[in-house]
């Protein structure tokens, strides 16, 4: 397979870039499941941008910087915030149906850490609405070939032995196709848009695809990866034995929901007297974690019963219905919630145009570490980051298209992926999945300690050795590849956490 662009991932980042890149050249877009199996599709709250007259770029910039705990790249923050309104207009022009008020202006929600109402939303189905509009636009485009059930395994790099790892050109990717075969996808530019890595933790709001593939793939190719210690835990995931990864959006707290412990006390005043429930996610998640540990409770409660049923049904249709289907009437009773891994601020380091440190390799969306989020992401800034950087990356390619297009064909070694016998005991994979997710949850979670991090490092290293043997011995499968990637991502999170000796942003050390 050959194309000008190879885009890996069909979330907001991959789709936004592909739609634009199709104007320049041919695009092969691969996605490891179905087109809409993405975190994007689950986003509830919305997308932040300065569109109201009472808001300003400076306020959005300050909110982002203060959430990022001094670790943001200010130039990147300014660029993203200032590009926000234009990108939002573009989404509207593509047909994203954001909710509007009676005057026909965007109805803006408020979320934790934002000093203004600036979150455009489609009630609590914002991500699904964005994904729908982008997919429908993509389908009109003849220059894009979409390959579902195709999983990127590793990058193809040129074989210039004079160059060190990380200095080689990226010329494509090895892909496990839907027939179980490895194919080569060659391209002039490869764009990793594989999303986050929430599945590294036992409890997560992320979909099953979030196994950090892009980060692991780029790291193996020698790309720089940074800020992996900054994992955002969403404070409020639904706690119910039948609910898998269901998020209760921050916007519910934005509409005045209170957090209560099992004694029915509003406990946030003990931890964040000023901001209370609207403190940033890390503060709220830590407060809940502490309260649960102190009281020995399995969960806390989010109370929005002061709002009328009609309001809740309209403003939060998905949450209302999902809770109802589990026998929870949110208009009458508080919702049981727990924190869960939600967003990875770190990732593959990129410049302001989405370029990684590997030539011809870009990274966009949650896979990337652009400098926007620093030590802690401000709510609703990630969808914004994805569309802004997709545009910047496209503009970079457009400007440099002559050079990129004329790229010579480069010699590469042939298929390095071992094709052996089929694994006969899936338990070898599943058992290691379980170990990684539990070790990460218990030892590398919301609040950390050096001794626990060292234990985690040892355990994960043992598991990694076993996985490498499995990878070398058996024919590769999706599950095996994801496990290999998640184990590498786990080790990167642990290493980064051990290196950062002081608590900052999302990285909270007890010692
Ligand atoms: C429940 C939930 C609610 C959220 N709410 C908000 C919100 O309100 N506002 C906000 O700004 N952010 C929100 N976020 C975060 C935001 O949704 C994500 O950061 C963003 O959607 C990521 O987009 P993406 O394009 O980078 O990745 P994704 O949308 O996750 O897409 C990743 C794509 O890569 C594919 N892929 C992965 N690995 C491979 C591989 N090896 N080979 C081929 N394909 C691969 C996947 O199949 C998928 O198509 C939320 C996240 C969650 C989980």
């Amino acid at each position: 397979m050959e194309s000008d662009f190879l885009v890996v991932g069909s979330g907001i980042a991959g789709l936004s870039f592909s739609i634009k890149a199709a104007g320049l050249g041919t695009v092969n877009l691969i996605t490891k499941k179905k087109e809409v199996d993405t975190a994007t599709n689950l986003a509830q709250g919305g997308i932040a941008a300065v569109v109201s007259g009472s808001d300003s770029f400076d306020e959005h910039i300050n909110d982002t910087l203060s959430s990022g705990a001094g670790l943001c790249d200010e130039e990147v923050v300014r660029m993203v915030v200032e590009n926000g309104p234009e990108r939002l207009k573009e989404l509207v022009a593509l047909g994203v149906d954001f909710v509007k008020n009676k005057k026909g202006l965007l109805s803006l929600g408020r979320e934790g850490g934002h000093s203004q109402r600036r979150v455009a939303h489609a009630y609590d189905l914002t991500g699904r609405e964005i994904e729908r509009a982008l997919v429908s636009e993509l389908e009109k485009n003849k220059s894009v070939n979409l390959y579902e059930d195709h999983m990127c395994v590793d990058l193809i790099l040129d074989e210039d032995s004079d160059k060190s790892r990380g200095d080689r050109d990226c010329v494509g990717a090895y892909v496990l196709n839907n027939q179980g075969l490895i194919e080569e996808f060659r391209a002039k530019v490869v764009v990793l848009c594989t999303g986050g890595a929430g599945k590294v933790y036992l409890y997560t709001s992320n979909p099953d695809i979030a196994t950090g593939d892009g980060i692991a793939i780029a790291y193996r190719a020698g790309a720089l990866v940074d800020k992996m210690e900054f994992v955002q835990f969403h404070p409020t995931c639904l706690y119910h034995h039948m609910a898998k990864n269901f998020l209760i959006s921050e916007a519910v707290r934005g509409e005045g929901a209170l957090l209560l412990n099992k004694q029915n006390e509003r406990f946030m005043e003990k931890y964040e007297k000023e901001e209370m429930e609207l403190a940033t996610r890390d503060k709220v998640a830590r407060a809940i974690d502490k309260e649960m540990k102190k009281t020995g409770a399995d969960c806390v409660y989010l109370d929005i019963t002061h709002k009328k049923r009609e309001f809740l049904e309209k403003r939060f249709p998905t949450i209302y219905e999902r809770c109802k289907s589990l026998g929870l009437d949110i208009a009458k009773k508080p919702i049981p919630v727990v924190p869960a891994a939600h967003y990875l601020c770190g990732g593959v380091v990129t410049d302001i145009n989405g370029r990684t440190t590997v030539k011809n390799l870009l990274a966009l969306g949650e896979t990337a570490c652009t400098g926007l989020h620093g030590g802690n992401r401000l709510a609703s800034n990630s969808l914004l980051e994805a569309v802004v950087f997709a545009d910047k990356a496209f503009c970079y390619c457009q400007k440099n298209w002559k050079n990129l297009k004329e790229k010579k064909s480069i010699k590469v070694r042939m298929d390095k992926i071992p094709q052996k016998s089929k694994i006969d005991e899936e338990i070898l994979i599943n058992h290691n999945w379980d170990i990684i997710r539990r070790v990460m949850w218990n030892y590398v979670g919301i609040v950390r300690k050096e001794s626990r991090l060292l234990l985690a490092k040892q355990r994960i290293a043992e598991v990694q050795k076993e996985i490498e043997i499995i990878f070398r011995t058996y024919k590769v499968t999706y599950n095996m590849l994801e496990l290999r990637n998640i184990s590498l991502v786990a080790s990167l999170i642990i290493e980064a956490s051990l290196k950062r000796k002081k608590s900052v942003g999302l990285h909270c050390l007890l010692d």
Side-chain angles (χ1 to χ4, degrees):
M1 295 286 172
E2 200 144 358
S3 59
D4 292 320
F5 299 93
L6 171 63
V7 179
V8 186
S10 58
I12 186 168
L15 293 172
S16 302
F17 181 83
S18 299
I19 289 167
K20 293 192 171 187
L24 270 184
T26 51
V27 181
N28 279 337
L29 170 55
I30 63 165
T31 184
K32 68 178 172 180
K33 284 202 171 173
K34 298 291 172 236
E35 204 171 12
V36 295
D37 289 322
T38 61
T40 302
N41 212 33
L42 301 182
Q44 294 180 347
I47 175 164
V50 176
V51 286
S52 134
S54 59
D55 198 359
S56 69
F57 287 149
D58 281 343
E59 282 169 279
H60 191 182
I61 290 167
N62 286 338
D63 291 345
T64 306
L65 292 175
S66 105
S67 175
L71 295 173
C72 303
D73 180 328
E74 214 167 319
E75 187 197 346
V76 170
V77 174
R78 179 164 292 280
M79 184 282 284
V80 172
V81 166
E82 289 182 354
N83 272 276
E86 202 52 41
R87 301 285 77 78
L88 202 62
K89 258 193 226 157
E90 222 167 59
L91 287 174
V92 173
L94 284 175
V96 179
D97 193 12
F98 290 115
V99 176
K100 300 196 184 61
N101 61 22
K102 282 182 191 137
K103 291 183 190 154
L105 303 170
L106 289 176
S107 153
L108 300 171
R110 180 159 176 206
E111 297 196 356
H114 286 276
S115 56
Q116 292 278 350
R117 280 190 169 260
R118 67 166 71 97
V119 180
H121 62 89
Y123 299 109
D124 60 359
L125 291 168
T126 311
R128 192 185 298 182
E129 175 55 17
I130 292 176
E131 183 86 17
R132 180 204 62 74
L134 293 178
V135 165
S136 124
E137 181 65 24
L138 190 90
E139 280 166 358
K140 291 181 207 154
N141 218 308
K142 295 240 162 25
S143 313
V144 184
N145 293 311
L146 174 73
Y147 297 86
E148 291 184 324
D149 299 310
H150 278 60
M151 179 172 186
C152 179
V153 180
D154 266 317
L155 297 172
I156 308 176
L157 302 175
D158 82 73
E159 275 295 272
D160 189 340
S161 51
D162 292 340
K163 291 185 195 160
S164 60
R165 185 172 165 265
D167 286 337
R168 295 179 177 163
D169 279 22
C170 176
V171 293
Y174 295 106
V175 174
L176 179 62
N177 71 15
N178 51 1
Q179 313 291 314
L181 300 172
I182 301 288
E183 268 185 275
E184 283 187 22
F185 277 67
R186 299 296 189 99
K188 299 189 169 78
V189 178
V190 177
V191 195
L192 294 172
C193 309
T194 57
K199 292 286 284 186
V200 75
Y201 285 98
L202 187 59
Y203 299 114
T204 177
S205 64
N206 288 192
D208 287 344
I209 54 98
T211 53
D213 295 3
I215 297 168
I217 288 167
Y219 183 80
R220 283 194 292 267
L224 202 64
V225 166
D226 195 21
K227 299 212 168 49
M228 294 295 285
E229 66 275 40
F230 298 114
V231 179
Q232 187 168 67
F233 289 83
H234 197 288
T236 54
C237 276
L238 181 60
Y239 180 72
H240 191 282
H241 67 284
M242 298 284 284
K244 190 184 167 204
N245 313 349
F246 188 74
L247 187 80
I248 306 295
S249 161
E250 185 132 10
V252 178
R253 277 181 287 129
E255 294 297 344
L258 308 180
L259 277 165
L260 307 174
N261 63 16
K262 70 176 181 186
Q263 282 88 29
N264 221 22
E265 293 158 354
R266 194 178 173 196
F267 60 86
M268 281 308 293
E269 57 193 2
K270 282 189 271 178
Y271 304 98
E272 298 296 330
K273 220 175 169 49
E274 295 281 304
E275 298 160 295
M276 301 286 279
E277 281 82 0
L278 285 180
T280 50
R281 286 180 179 168
D282 56 320
K283 293 181 186 164
V284 181
R286 260 175 240 149
I288 296 177
D289 188 58
K290 203 159 181 189
E291 196 65 19
M292 280 169 57
K293 285 193 172 124
K294 212 165 82 183
T295 59
D298 292 333
C299 65
V300 294
Y301 299 88
L302 192 62
D303 190 351
I304 186 86
T305 53
H306 63 282
K307 289 280 186 190
K308 290 216 166 70
R309 181 179 303 281
E310 300 71 49
F311 172 85
L312 296 174
E313 274 179 302
K314 189 157 184 242
R315 177 69 179 90
F316 303 113
T318 322
I319 295 172
Y320 183 88
E321 277 309 318
R322 181 79 176 115
C323 288
K324 192 173 153 197
S325 74
L326 296 167
L328 303 167
D329 182 353
I330 68 168
K332 275 200 174 151
K333 279 197 165 166
I335 312 163
V337 290
V338 281
H342 184 57
Y343 186 84
L344 182 61
C345 294
V348 186
V349 174
T350 72
D351 68 4
I352 204 139
N353 293 314
R355 291 190 305 162
T356 71
T357 52
V358 170
K359 213 167 155 202
N360 306 319
L361 178 68
L362 311 182
L364 303 173
E366 197 167 334
T367 300
C369 177
T370 63
L372 175 70
H373 308 303
N376 189 4
R377 174 190 71 131
L378 183 66
S380 289
N381 263 0
S382 41
L383 293 174
L384 175 69
E385 179 190 42
V387 281
V388 169
F389 271 90
D391 180 67
K392 289 292 285 182
F394 163 72
C395 292
Y396 165 80
C397 292
Q398 191 179 39
K399 201 166 156 210
N400 296 284
W401 192 228
K402 216 170 146 225
N403 287 343
L404 290 167
K405 210 176 156 188
E406 279 165 10
K407 215 172 85 183
K408 288 186 211 90
S409 179
I410 297 170
K411 200 182 122 212
V412 291
R413 60 181 161 243
M414 285 309 287
D415 190 357
K416 284 185 5 181
I417 310 296
Q419 286 296 287
K420 307 261 173 74
S421 61
K422 223 172 146 191
I423 192 160
D424 47 1
E425 290 191 304
E426 198 62 20
I427 188 72
L428 295 177
I429 307 284
N430 292 344
H431 176 69
N432 283 322
W433 259 114
D434 195 48
I435 294 179
I436 294 170
R437 298 185 74 197
R438 278 182 197 281
V439 166
M440 292 301 286
W441 185 257
N442 291 326
Y443 294 174
V444 198
I446 299 175
V447 177
R448 298 166 182 170
K449 225 174 159 183
E450 191 169 27
S451 54
R452 281 197 247 135
L453 292 174
L454 288 168
L455 273 177
K457 181 178 167 162
Q458 206 182 327
R459 300 260 159 94
I460 298 294
E462 282 163 18
V463 174
Q464 267 188 300
K465 267 192 217 149
E466 196 179 318
I467 294 168
E468 215 41 46
I469 296 171
I470 297 173
F471 178 73
R472 300 273 155 220
T473 313
Y474 298 103
K475 196 174 164 136
V476 293
T477 63
Y478 285 13
N479 203 10
M480 183 195 296
L481 292 172
E482 287 184 337
L483 177 69
R484 179 177 177 239
N485 291 334
I486 210 82
S487 66
L488 176 53
V489 167
S491 72
L492 292 172
I493 295 175
I494 297 167
E495 278 305 328
S497 304
L498 277 166
K499 278 197 188 121
R500 195 168 292 276
K501 301 286 181 200
K502 283 188 182 161
S503 292
V504 60
L506 295 160
H507 178 63
C508 179
L509 278 173
L510 280 178
D511 41 11

